[in-house]
Amino acid sequence: MEELRHAYEIRSMLHRFVMIGGTLLLITGLVMGVIRPYLFSQGWYVLSLVLFIVGLAFGSLVLSPRSKPIKALLDTYVGVAIPPVYLELSRKLFFFERIENIFFY
């Protein structure tokens, strides 16, 4: 269980870097559109912005509620073995993470 807690801490730290990078990517993409306004008439540009925004919203609306019970479990569980409820919660979370990854391919 200690290894799982440690892995979750590393994952949370990496998530912060991803959120900062994603925000900077969105801002620079929008600045690029402001510099070259014709990009807003290009299908690939608009589609990439829409998919990126959907991916960001998906993270906060779908992934966050599914990761909170895991965080609570890791904070409160006393024991060495990984509880079976963690496996079920993580399976659901990872399923939706894979769906979100499709937005960013």
Side-chain angles (χ1 to χ4, degrees), residues 39-72:
L39 287 173
F40 289 107
S41 66
Q42 302 292 312
W44 67 269
Y45 182 77
V46 173
L47 181 63
S48 66
L49 285 176
V50 168
L51 287 176
F52 196 81
I53 291 170
V54 167
L56 289 178
F58 191 85
S60 62
L61 296 174
V62 176
L63 296 181
S64 181
R66 283 171 177 72
S67 65
K68 286 180 183 176
I70 294 173
K71 174 73 171 141

Side-chain angles (χ1 to χ4, degrees), residues 24-38:
L24 289 174
L25 184 65
L26 180 61
I27 290 170
T28 57
L30 290 171
V31 168
M32 186 172 64
V34 169
I35 292 170
R36 306 269 187 221
Y38 74 90

Side-chain angles (χ1 to χ4, degrees), residues 64-92:
S64 181
R66 283 171 177 72
S67 65
K68 286 180 183 176
I70 294 173
K71 174 73 171 141
L73 177 70
L74 293 175
D75 289 341
T76 59
Y77 183 76
V78 177
V80 178
I82 297 173
V85 69
Y86 169 79
L87 299 175
E88 182 62 31
L89 291 171
S90 64
R91 189 174 315 140
K92 291 177 184 177

